[in-house]
Amino acid sequence: MTCRLSTVAVCQCMTKVKVQLFPDIVDANDDVPLGTEGWDNWPGWGEETDEASKNASKKASQNDWLHACLVSLSPCGDLMAISRNDRAMLLKAKYEDQGGNGSGVGYEIIKELYDAEEKAKISSIMCLPLASHNKTSYGAQDWTCVIIGFTSGYVKIYTETGVLLLSQLLHEDPVLKLKCRTHETHRYVGIADQVEELTILYPKALVVVDGFSLYQTLRACRNQVARAAAGGSELMTPPPLAYKKWGLQEQDIVYDFVSCGVTSTNAFDQLCSSSLLGGYGASTKTSTSATYLYVTTGVGPYTGFFYAAEGSSQPMLSEVALNMASKLKTAFINQMSSTGSKYLGGWLGQSVKPNKEETRPKIEPPTPLHIKFGLPDLRRHGETLSLSPNGNLAATTDDFGRVILIDIGRGIVVRVWKGYRDAQVGWIKVKDSSESQRKLKKAARVAIFLVIYAPKRGILEVWALQQGPKVAAFNVSKNAKLLYPGYGVLGLGSTVSEEIITHQCSLIDADGAIRTLIVPFHLALSDKNSRRARDLQLLNELKGLLKEHKCDSCELQQDVLSKLRAVKAASIVQQGLERVLSTRYLEPATMQEIVGCILAQINSHEIQPGAVEEKILHHFCQLYQQLLHTYRDVCALKGEPPSLEAASTGDSMSLAVLLNTTEADVENIEQSLSEYRASSVRDRVRFADATDMEVGKFFACFHGNPSSQDSVNVERLTIRLNGELQDDKRLSLGAFLFGPVLAGNYSSSKLLVVLKASGILPENFFSLLLHYWLSKDDWQVGATNLYSMVKDLSIWQGENKTNDSATWWQTMRTRCSVSTCISSASIAALVGQSVSALLNCNGHSSEQSECEKSDAAEKPSEKISESEWLDLSSDAEQWRYLVRQLQDLLLLGSVFKSQPVMEESAEKTGFGDILLSVDSMLFGGRGAITDLVARWIGKVGITAKAVSMALRSDIDLSIDSDEAMHTDESLDELAGKSAADDDMHVNTCKAQLRKLVMHFPHSVSHDSVLSNCCWEYAVCWNKDPEMVGLLQQSLQFLKLIKNGILQHGVAAMLWHTFVLQKFEATARLMEKVKKSPKASLCRKEIGMTDTALRDMMAQCCSLLDIIMQADVEAEEIPVYGVIEEPWMSCQGPVPLVELVIDQRLCYYAPVSLHYQLAVVLHAILTYTLKSVKPLSLYHAKEASCFFKDLQSLLVLVTNVNIGARTEFLKKLITAAVTALPLPVSSTSVGSEQVESYDVTDVGTPSTSTTDNTSALTNAAAKQEILNVVEMSHWCSKAIELGLEWQGINVDSLRMHYVCELYSSGYDKLAEEVL
């Protein structure tokens, strides 16, 4: 980036401002046009009249009227003030539409300030922004005040709308200058922060107003003005200002000054000063005192340095403070009386008539401040003085047209510029925002530039300091004015470190254009004659040129070439070429022309041995020349019409010859692929592959590592694929290169010619081809085009010998193994198997012919050929295994992606799509197929009964003879049948499972699949305990396992892995609360609601009952671990059935003990029994065995807590019977059915009830029967517990049961129990 002058705002109302400030100037329309005057119109030449001289002076005043005005622009750019004589115009910034150029910043007049009572002229003006201290906008700009100094000595402060806030007379002389100093954060530790202050210069005095006092006073005055405007009350007298007044001594005339803030001299300077003043024996202080430094410019001396010791002068209060004290005294003494109404009325807001004969306030005398030293120059008169942002330098102008740079710390002149009459100076501070500086995480470097505006010459220059060159120069108008505020926002303090100054140094023209300078940091580091700086300048111009244009053109190409040829440094040329190659709108032909021209320029001369950068540039151009040739050639192939040579033949005989197999095998493969693709069909939107690619993205896919070595072959450099290339970009590149070939638009031989000339390695193209082919599963093209492309690339690889053939084919097998697109991987494996066999056979035959021609002394070569035949058979065996594995996965994929028709469905596990790959199966262990089948069953939601019936080998569930005849038919003939037959015979869950059983007889066995289904449902329930139906479905699968040992082991693992922890938490929680816990407490402690907890406890009873009922003694240990042949080399976790078999058998006693506790807990949760502690019903020895392994021995203790147990059982019976509704009246049909219900057989109605079940039409009677069944179940459970708990009188429980039935009105049921 170069230094530039940017327009930030345009003031459209400058004509109105000129008319208001200069009413005596003749309008421009009535004046003589510029450029028509000749030599005769000059004063003193020819026939000049007085009227012509008058018109010329008026025209000159029209052009340079801005020089006669005082202009102040706020550092934030929101307010601008222009004044002349006794008038001032306030202009406020606004956003306005600039036509086609968009929106910009403009200014409008909001107020004209004119004080009729103040018979004085404006001598200085300032726009000072104030910071906000609100919480929401802390540190931002709040509002802007306007400070005006008059020749009468008054200083008045206005709001941005022109409302007077404060008017004070601090000195009786005219105000010369107004300057402000705001807070600035220092870059180094140990330097004191400068205080904020407002300084006012008079001819012989300097008034310093404290910044904090000024900020608080202005805020108070503004708030009072707002309240007065809202309430209609009169304004109060503003609070006083704290200030210091210094009398500048020993300088004849002072025109300008700067306040340098707090400074401290070092010990050596203090010692030198003391020795010069006091002699050899002078004493010095141990610590130096802080002083305030003020530097002035004027006459006698030219520049003066004044040091004011801190604390040498007490802050003064103005006459306002005395008036305020008088008002307070009067208010308290007279207590709201009429005495002192002159002051009291103003204090209380009453109307008081002002005194017409008001006297001027009392002026305090200044404190004398003697000059310490100066820069004397009798002939030179200083005019202006400006301080740099860091406070170390100052620039002064004089009447000799010189600009002098002064070092403030040393008090010496360091540089002088001549020939700048009436110059105006400013400063620009630039921070280093480069990436290298940000990585250091340190304070940013800062550069200071001096800006000099020479209106006589119409030039604006930027100089690097201190002895730096001129970094920029601009031709500007001679009637402009340079604006440098030199301050920021008042009231920020040290809490806000970010600068919000937007206008450091601006140039305003008479036509209203406001421009600001933008200087890059690197200009402070370069020299004027530096070749690298010149090259950087050309590089920035090139970047700007490419940014300005939006489309390619011949003129742009010539401009880019001219700038690149003008650059001398090779590294900069390479940066420019990188920018050109990354421009999106440039055509590849243009890029190739530019790169070719630069390459020809390099080849036109001999490269020196030590020119490393030039060699790297040479290789860089050659690399991109190769890539551009490849890109354009591929695009040219796409533009050709499709050739008949590339047409794909898809008949079985051709494929059989191509794949080196039989026609029957090809038909079987096609049938498997068609079944797989038919099951994968979904109603979704499909988009065509994007075979076009931008040239910039094409470049990003490769890298070439340009080298400076002379041994590198420049004619064709090696290019490699970018290893960090993302998958989407890799797919785009594959589609760009191989998409048309696979689609059959042109032959692979044409593309191979282009690829060979590119310099890119063949293994990179092979990797792209495989990645693109294996990226999707819905290819609509055959294997012929893929076969041709793989064959051509393999032959090319064999010619180059860049890689071993074994590694080449192993890469292809690995890519097919990890791919989840099974159909594409199967086709690729068949193609790879055929091509590798063909090339190996050709290679072996050629070697054999060479051996026959060799001499007989070379017989050891026969042994070498035998080893090669062994390698060939090993490679063929790997291909055979891979093809068989992929065919197995095709069958699994077709089943897993199908949606079978089911008469009854169960709970679904919610698994997503099952992704298959050979690699995942090989590392999934010997039980991977069983696990995937179980996961698919849970995903589809097949019931346990349906799965068991489909997998059992003792029942003939195969398709009948008619259907078996159809299994040998093709899918095309099956598709012609009716939809009902298709759903019944092909897509039923039983047919799909039987298909898996026939193909995987070992992996998809009955007990193995049921065990894995049970485990999968339990895992899903553990993730979401609220879904107790998943646990119930898991137990349904568990019940149907035929082998007792396997059933027992799975149940024991379920108990210890998933159920035991929640079972223990439930028991301990109910022991603590002595009742059924509420829903909130259950959710907090156990993680499920009370309803889900009750259902879970019922499943716990079922699980423990299965463990007890498992016949482990009658069953032999099953033999598992056998797997199908293609998957015998798999590795990974141990199958579930093997883990289950290794489980130890559970003892009956601990299982029975936990079963009893589960029944107790379930009963409490069902009937919300209270005052029951379930664990207290057992002996301490028994209670200590709870929640431990079921494989540990346990001796049951009898006759324990008989009273508590009997009370609990009776309470359970009472709750069960009480839960029954009142019996239906005898007139209804259902009453006889209920009373004749046989409760002796739990859960089974009597014969009479069963015969008449179909006659029940009353819903209430049916519900009553269900309630009776549940009641009978729980009462039977209570009696069973009484029998298991030895020592309990079971007859008393039955008697209690009968009494409860009689009490509830179920007399018939009571009689049957008796």
Side-chain angles (χ1 to χ4, degrees):
M1 185 177 67
T2 58
C3 181
R4 66 180 187 272
L5 195 62
S6 176
T7 302
V8 295
V10 176
C11 182
Q12 303 289 350
C13 57
M14 293 300 286
T15 304
K16 298 180 180 179
V17 174
K18 183 176 68 173
V19 170
Q20 295 294 331
L21 298 180
F22 297 88
D24 53 342
I25 294 180
V26 180
D27 189 82
N29 297 329
D30 300 334
D31 199 7
V32 180
L34 295 176
T36 59
E37 63 273 26
W39 288 101
D40 296 337
N41 295 331
W42 282 71
W45 295 77
E47 299 177 357
E48 180 187 3
T49 60
D50 295 340
E51 185 177 0
S53 176
K54 184 177 180 180
N55 292 336
S57 62
K58 287 185 178 181
K59 184 169 62 176
S61 62
Q62 277 188 352
N63 295 332
D64 60 353
W65 65 271
L66 199 60
H67 290 167
C69 299
L70 300 175
V71 184
S72 176
L73 179 64
S74 172
C76 300
D78 61 322
L79 189 68
M80 182 169 59
I82 305 176
S83 67
R84 177 179 176 268
N85 293 338
D86 55 351
R87 295 179 182 272
M89 308 296 294
L90 301 184
L91 293 82
K92 186 177 182 180
K94 68 171 183 178
Y95 287 94
E96 56 186 12
D97 189 7
Q98 296 180 354
N101 298 327
S103 61
V105 179
Y107 286 86
E108 62 177 354
I109 301 175
I110 58 173
K111 186 67 176 180
E112 178 183 0
L113 298 179
Y114 174 71
D115 194 351
E117 298 181 358
E118 185 69 28
K119 299 179 180 180
K121 296 182 179 180
I122 298 175
S123 57
S124 183
I125 193 168
M126 174 190 294
C127 295
L128 179 62
L130 279 77
S132 172
H133 284 184
N134 298 330
K135 293 183 179 180
T136 57
S137 59
Y138 187 81
Q141 179 197 4
D142 190 9
W143 61 289
T144 304
C145 69
V146 180
I147 306 176
I148 301 178
F150 293 89
T151 55
S152 61
Y154 272 92
V155 176
K156 297 185 179 181
I157 304 178
Y158 299 86
T159 64
E160 51 195 357
T161 58
V163 179
L164 180 62
L165 295 178
L166 188 65
S167 176
Q168 292 198 10
L169 180 64
L170 303 178
H171 199 67
E172 292 184 344
D173 292 335
V175 176
L176 298 182
K177 294 286 184 180
L178 291 173
K179 291 192 177 183
C180 183
R181 185 179 184 87
T182 55
H183 180 270
E184 182 179 358
T185 304
H186 289 280
R187 299 176 60 242
Y188 305 106
V189 180
I191 301 179
D193 290 340
Q194 302 296 336
V195 296
E196 297 181 327
E197 60 185 12
L198 173 67
T199 49
I200 308 170
L201 177 65
Y202 296 91
K204 286 297 183 179
L206 185 66
V207 176
V208 182
V209 181
D210 180 63
F212 179 76
S213 173
L214 176 64
Y215 180 79
Q216 297 297 336
T217 301
L218 293 180
R219 285 188 62 186
C221 293
R222 188 167 180 261
N223 294 337
Q224 175 62 22
V225 167
R227 285 193 295 267
S233 59
E234 294 186 1
L235 296 177
M236 293 177 56
T237 304
L241 288 175
Y243 66 93
K244 299 178 183 179
K245 183 185 293 187
W246 302 102
L248 304 178
Q249 306 293 326
E250 302 174 4
Q251 188 172 12
D252 298 341
I253 302 175
V254 178
Y255 291 118
D256 202 352
F257 79 102
V258 290
S259 174
C260 302
V262 180
T263 60
S264 58
T265 58
N266 54 53
F268 180 77
D269 292 342
Q270 185 182 8
L271 179 61
C272 291
S273 301
S274 300
S275 301
L276 290 175
L277 295 176
Y280 176 76
S283 60
T284 59
K285 297 180 181 180
T286 57
S287 61
T288 60
S289 60
T291 57
Y292 291 90
L293 173 60
Y294 302 101
V295 182
T296 61
T297 183
V299 180
Y302 168 72
T303 303
F305 290 79
F306 295 85
Y307 287 87
E310 188 174 10
S312 60
S313 175
Q314 297 296 328
M316 301 178 183
L317 297 179
S318 62
E319 186 66 21
V320 178
L322 301 178
N323 294 339
M324 182 65 67
S326 177
K327 291 180 181 181
L328 289 173
K329 178 179 179 181
T330 305
F332 282 108
I333 292 177
N334 297 321
Q335 297 181 357
M336 308 291 289
S337 63
S338 60
T339 306
S341 60
K342 174 182 178 181
Y343 300 100
L344 188 61
W347 175 257
L348 298 177
Q350 300 175 3
S351 62
V352 178
K353 296 182 180 180
N355 188 8
K356 296 183 179 180
E357 298 179 358
E358 184 178 359
T359 59
R360 296 175 67 87
K362 182 180 179 181
I363 305 300
E364 295 82 359
T367 301
L369 184 63
H370 298 276
I371 188 173
K372 187 173 183 179
F373 65 91
L375 300 176
D377 193 336
L378 297 178
R379 299 179 57 190
R380 181 176 288 114
H381 298 169
E383 295 179 348
T384 61
L385 187 63
S386 179
L387 184 67
S388 65
N390 58 4
N392 298 331
L393 301 172
T396 179
T397 61
D398 54 30
D399 55 348
F400 280 13
R402 299 178 182 179
V403 178
I404 300 178
L405 186 66
I406 302 174
D407 189 337
I408 296 297
R410 296 184 295 171
I412 60 174
V413 175
V414 294
R415 193 167 184 177
V416 178
W417 290 270
K418 298 181 180 180
Y420 295 89
R421 188 170 298 278
D422 298 335
Q424 302 171 23
V425 296
W427 304 85
I428 293 180
K429 181 175 71 172
V430 182
K431 290 185 177 181
D432 185 10
S433 58
S434 60
E435 184 177 359
S436 60
Q437 188 69 16
R438 291 195 299 268
K439 290 181 180 179
L440 296 177
K441 296 181 180 180
K442 296 181 180 180
R445 297 181 297 175
V446 176
I448 303 296
F449 295 91
L450 178 64
V451 181
I452 304 177
Y453 169 57
K456 298 293 185 181
R457 299 162 54 188
I459 189 171
L460 183 69
E461 297 177 349
V462 181
W463 292 82
L465 301 180
Q466 296 180 8
Q467 302 297 331
K470 178 171 62 176
V471 297
F474 304 94
N475 292 323
V476 295
S477 173
K478 296 182 179 181
N479 304 316
K481 198 174 186 67
L482 186 66
L483 305 178
Y484 173 67
Y487 54 87
V489 180
L490 183 67
L492 282 180
S494 60
T495 57
V496 179
S497 59
E498 296 183 0
E499 298 181 358
I500 57 176
I501 299 177
T502 57
H503 294 72
Q504 289 192 67
C505 190
S506 304
L507 185 73
I508 181 172
D509 202 351
D511 58 357
I514 300 177
R515 301 177 179 87
T516 183
L517 278 168
I518 300 177
V519 183
F521 180 82
H522 70 83
L523 294 181
L525 308 176
S526 60
D527 189 32
K528 179 180 180 180
N529 299 321
S530 174
R531 187 181 68 173
R532 185 170 183 83
R534 177 180 175 275
D535 291 343
L536 288 174
Q537 175 75 15
L538 292 172
L539 178 62
N540 292 329
E541 292 178 1
L542 174 63
K543 292 179 180 180
L545 182 65
L546 294 174
K547 190 175 181 180
E548 290 175 1
H549 289 75
K550 300 299 180 182
C551 59
D552 195 1
S553 62
C554 297
E555 293 79 6
L556 176 62
Q557 178 180 343
Q558 296 300 325
D559 294 342
V560 171
L561 278 174
S562 62
K563 293 187 180 299
L564 287 176
R565 287 170 177 170
V567 176
K568 302 300 181 182
S571 60
I572 307 300
V573 175
Q574 183 174 345
Q575 295 181 28
L577 284 176
E578 290 176 354
R579 187 58 181 265
V580 170
L581 295 173
S582 62
T583 304
R584 302 185 62 178
Y585 61 83
L586 290 181
E587 296 294 335
T590 303
M591 295 182 181
Q592 189 172 1
E593 181 68 22
I594 293 174
V595 174
C597 292
I598 300 299
L599 189 60
Q601 182 179 356
I602 298 175
N603 294 329
S604 62
H605 64 279
E606 183 179 357
I607 302 176
Q608 299 297 326
V612 177
E613 292 185 354
E614 192 170 3
K615 292 180 180 179
I616 294 176
L617 176 62
H618 189 196
H619 291 178
F620 176 84
C621 294
Q622 182 63 33
L623 285 172
Y624 279 93
Q625 189 79 343
Q626 293 177 200
L627 289 175
L628 284 168
H629 273 297
T630 304
Y631 181 85
R632 296 190 65 191
D633 291 344
V634 173
C635 293
L637 285 177
K638 292 183 179 182
E640 296 180 0
S643 60
L644 299 176
E645 180 185 356
S648 176
T649 59
D651 56 318
S652 301
M653 184 176 298
S654 301
L655 289 177
V657 175
L658 194 66
L659 299 179
N660 193 18
T661 183
T662 62
E663 187 175 353
D665 292 340
V666 172
E667 291 178 356
N668 292 334
I669 293 172
E670 288 182 344
Q671 181 178 353
S672 300
L673 291 173
S674 60
E675 291 179 359
Y676 178 82
R677 291 170 179 172
S679 61
S680 303
V681 173
R682 297 288 186 273
D683 295 335
R684 60 183 179 182
V685 179
R686 298 179 181 272
F687 298 95
D689 292 339
T691 58
D692 295 334
M693 192 177 191
E694 295 181 1
V695 63
K697 295 181 179 179
F698 181 78
F699 291 154
C701 297
F702 302 96
H703 66 86
N705 295 328
S707 176
S708 60
Q709 299 179 1
D710 297 332
S711 60
V712 179
N713 184 14
V714 183
E715 295 181 358
R716 183 183 298 174
L717 297 178
T718 302
I719 303 175
R720 299 181 183 274
L721 191 66
N722 190 357
E724 300 179 355
L725 197 62
Q726 299 177 357
D727 288 342
D728 55 344
K729 295 181 179 179
R730 194 181 295 267
L731 288 176
S732 300
L733 180 60
F736 173 72
L737 293 175
F738 303 107
V741 174
L742 296 178
N745 295 338
Y746 49 84
S747 63
S748 60
S749 58
K750 293 183 178 180
L751 179 62
L752 187 65
V753 175
V754 177
L755 299 183
K756 285 184 177 181
S758 64
I760 304 173
L761 298 177
E763 51 263 27
N764 291 334
F765 289 120
F766 191 61
S767 176
L768 285 173
L769 175 63
L770 293 178
H771 187 79
Y772 176 59
W773 177 263
L774 298 174
S775 63
K776 58 181 181 178
D777 230 355
D778 53 352
W779 285 99
Q780 302 298 326
V781 297
T784 307
N785 299 327
L786 178 65
Y787 178 88
S788 302
M789 197 71 247
V790 171
K791 180 181 176 181
D792 292 342
L793 289 176
S794 301
I795 295 174
W796 179 25
Q797 182 269 340
E799 295 174 355
N800 289 346
K801 296 183 180 180
T802 57
N803 199 354
D804 188 14
S805 61
T807 306
W808 177 272
W809 297 119
Q810 184 59 38
T811 302
M812 187 174 184
R813 285 193 294 267
T814 303
R815 300 295 294 270
C816 294
S817 299
V818 300
S819 175
T820 57
C821 299
I822 305 302
S823 64
S824 301
S826 300
I827 297 175
L830 290 171
V831 170
Q833 182 184 19
S834 178
V835 174
S836 63
L838 177 63
L839 296 182
N840 289 332
C841 182
N842 294 336
H844 177 69
S845 62
S846 61
E847 291 177 1
Q848 187 176 4
S849 62
E850 291 178 1
C851 292
E852 292 177 355
K853 295 178 181 179
S854 62
D855 297 332
E858 299 179 355
K859 291 183 179 180
S861 62
E862 297 179 1
K863 298 181 179 180
I864 298 176
S865 63
E866 290 181 5
S867 63
E868 291 179 356
W869 273 108
L870 292 176
D871 294 338
L872 176 61
S873 62
S874 175
D875 186 74
E877 188 68 15
Q878 293 181 16
W879 279 115
R880 187 178 67 85
Y881 265 93
L882 178 61
V883 170
R884 289 189 59 185
Q885 289 168 352
L886 289 171
Q887 289 178 357
D888 291 347
L889 293 186
L890 276 176
L891 177 63
L892 287 175
S894 62
V895 173
F896 292 166
K897 293 186 178 182
S898 63
Q899 295 294 332
V901 178
M902 296 177 291
E903 297 179 358
E904 182 181 1
S905 62
E907 289 281 349
K908 297 183 180 180
T909 56
F911 284 115
D913 294 337
I914 301 175
L915 300 178
L916 298 175
S917 67
V918 175
D919 194 63
S920 63
M921 296 290 290
L922 290 175
F923 289 97
R926 294 189 300 275
I929 297 177
T930 310
D931 187 21
L932 292 176
V933 171
R935 188 172 299 178
W936 170 72
I937 291 173
K939 172 191 173 184
V940 176
I942 307 176
T943 60
K945 182 179 179 182
V947 174
S948 178
M949 295 293 290
L951 298 179
R952 288 177 61 180
S953 59
D954 54 344
I955 300 177
D956 186 15
L957 294 176
S958 61
I959 306 175
D960 55 12
S961 59
D962 295 336
E963 296 171 353
M965 180 179 61
H966 293 303
T967 56
D968 296 334
E969 298 177 359
S970 63
L971 289 179
D972 296 335
E973 296 176 356
L974 289 175
K977 295 187 177 183
S978 61
D981 293 336
D982 184 66
D983 291 342
M984 183 180 300
H985 304 303
V986 178
N987 202 22
T988 61
C989 61
K990 293 182 180 180
Q992 298 289 356
L993 289 173
R994 290 302 297 172
K995 187 190 301 184
L996 293 176
V997 170
M998 289 185 291
H999 199 82
F1000 303 100
H1002 302 292
S1003 298
V1004 191
S1005 61
H1006 180 272
D1007 288 351
S1008 300
V1009 174
L1010 292 180
S1011 300
N1012 280 271
C1013 290
C1014 172
W1015 192 260
E1016 290 294 337
Y1017 271 99
V1019 170
C1020 293
W1021 169 77
N1022 187 51
K1023 295 178 181 178
D1024 189 5
E1026 292 289 334
M1027 303 294 294
V1028 187
L1030 297 175
L1031 180 60
Q1032 182 180 2
Q1033 185 68 14
S1034 175
L1035 297 184
Q1036 293 295 329
F1037 283 100
L1038 181 62
K1039 292 177 182 178
L1040 296 176
I1041 298 177
K1042 296 191 298 182
N1043 189 277
I1045 296 178
L1046 193 61
Q1047 185 186 41
H1048 177 274
V1050 174
M1053 287 184 64
L1054 287 180
W1055 172 260
H1056 290 102
T1057 306
F1058 303 112
V1059 182
L1060 180 58
Q1061 185 178 2
K1062 295 181 175 60
F1063 182 77
E1064 180 183 1
T1066 304
R1068 298 193 183 282
L1069 179 62
M1070 295 175 66
E1071 179 74 12
K1072 180 179 179 181
V1073 300
K1074 302 179 184 180
K1075 61 178 181 179
S1076 176
K1078 295 182 180 181
S1080 58
L1081 186 59
C1082 291
R1083 189 177 291 107
K1084 177 181 178 182
E1085 298 293 336
I1086 307 175
M1088 60 178 66
T1089 60
D1090 53 347
T1091 305
L1093 183 62
R1094 181 190 61 196
D1095 298 338
M1096 185 205 74
M1097 202 54 60
Q1099 303 306 321
C1100 291
C1101 297
S1102 301
L1103 178 60
L1104 293 171
D1105 184 63
I1106 293 173
I1107 296 175
M1108 291 189 298
Q1109 299 298 329
D1111 189 6
V1112 296
E1113 296 181 358
E1115 295 288 345
E1116 297 180 355
I1117 298 177
V1119 178
Y1120 292 99
V1122 182
I1123 195 171
E1124 288 72 23
E1125 179 187 358
W1127 307 100
M1128 294 181 65
S1129 61
C1130 61
Q1131 302 174 356
V1134 181
L1136 176 65
V1137 290
E1138 296 185 14
L1139 293 176
V1140 168
I1141 293 173
D1142 294 338
Q1143 296 293 318
R1144 292 186 300 166
L1145 297 179
C1146 300
Y1147 290 99
Y1148 185 83
V1151 177
S1152 176
L1153 189 65
H1154 283 81
Y1155 176 76
Q1156 296 172 15
L1157 181 59
V1159 173
V1160 172
L1161 296 177
H1162 189 204
I1164 296 173
L1165 291 171
T1166 303
Y1167 293 107
T1168 62
L1169 302 180
K1170 298 182 179 180
S1171 301
V1172 179
K1173 301 178 69 176
L1175 297 180
S1176 300
L1177 298 176
Y1178 296 88
H1179 192 266
K1181 292 183 179 180
E1182 296 178 338
S1184 62
C1185 296
F1186 279 127
F1187 320 122
K1188 294 184 179 179
D1189 294 338
L1190 299 179
Q1191 292 85 3
S1192 58
L1193 291 174
L1194 172 64
V1195 179
L1196 297 177
V1197 182
T1198 59
N1199 300 328
V1200 178
N1201 297 334
I1202 296 176
R1205 290 179 173 182
T1206 304
E1207 182 183 357
F1208 166 73
L1209 294 176
K1210 289 183 178 181
K1211 187 180 295 185
L1212 173 59
I1213 293 173
T1214 303
V1217 178
T1218 308
L1220 289 174
L1222 294 176
V1224 185
S1225 60
S1226 58
T1227 57
S1228 63
V1229 180
S1231 61
E1232 297 179 358
Q1233 309 297 336
V1234 173
E1235 292 183 356
S1236 63
Y1237 191 80
D1238 185 8
V1239 295
T1240 58
D1241 188 7
V1242 178
T1244 304
S1246 61
T1247 305
S1248 60
T1249 306
T1250 306
D1251 296 338
N1252 299 326
T1253 302
S1254 59
L1256 294 176
T1257 56
N1258 194 328
K1262 293 181 181 180
Q1263 183 64 35
E1264 190 173 357
I1265 291 178
L1266 295 177
N1267 294 334
V1268 169
V1269 172
E1270 184 178 4
M1271 180 272 299
S1272 303
H1273 169 73
W1274 280 111
C1275 292
S1276 300
K1277 285 292 183 183
I1279 294 174
E1280 290 177 5
L1281 284 177
L1283 292 174
E1284 293 181 4
W1285 289 340
Q1286 299 179 7
I1288 296 179
N1289 189 359
V1290 181
D1291 293 336
S1292 63
L1293 296 178
R1294 288 193 178 96
M1295 292 173 59
H1296 182 74
Y1297 179 27
V1298 172
C1299 293
E1300 291 294 336
L1301 287 175
Y1302 277 118
S1303 299
S1304 299
Y1306 292 91
D1307 297 347
K1308 184 65 176 179
L1309 296 178
E1311 291 176 0
E1312 292 184 2
V1313 172
L1314 291 175

